[in-house]
Amino acid sequence: MIQYPVAEGEAPNQLWDIVERLKNEDVRALNKFKLSLFDPARDVDNSPSGGQCLSFMSFKVIPGMEKPLDHVS
């Protein structure tokens, strides 16, 4: 979540990017926050127990409330 592997450059901190966008008063669409946890190049290994349990997370701000955060995994 905080050091997603990339081919080149610095690994993004996806979690902090979401926090910054949620805190930004100019951001109007508060239901589009996704966090990737699955990397097919690294995580697909034909394991007999299946794939990883958690592949992505979606964060949404509940309208009409004091910016509580709900997540669906």
Side-chain angles (χ1 to χ4, degrees):
M1 288 186 276
I2 60 173
Q3 288 188 313
Y4 194 79
V6 292
E8 294 182 20
E10 189 174 331
N13 182 335
Q14 299 178 99
L15 191 56
W16 188 247
D17 290 344
I18 289 172
V19 169
E20 286 183 327
R21 294 205 49 185
L22 286 171
K23 290 169 45 177
N24 184 341
E25 296 293 326
D26 293 330
V27 174
R28 300 273 186 240
L30 299 176
N31 62 346
K32 298 181 179 182
F33 303 101
K34 307 277 190 234
L35 191 142
S36 296
L37 301 172
F38 181 78
D39 177 5
R42 183 190 65 203
D43 297 327
V44 175
D45 63 3
N46 296 321
S47 168
S49 22
Q52 67 188 55
C53 296
L54 183 62
S55 297
F56 77 96
M57 298 176 81
S58 176
F59 298 86
K60 299 173 185 349
V61 174
I62 300 169
M65 299 185 81
E66 198 61 38
K67 280 202 175 184
L69 186 63
D70 190 16
H71 72 281
V72 177
S73 55

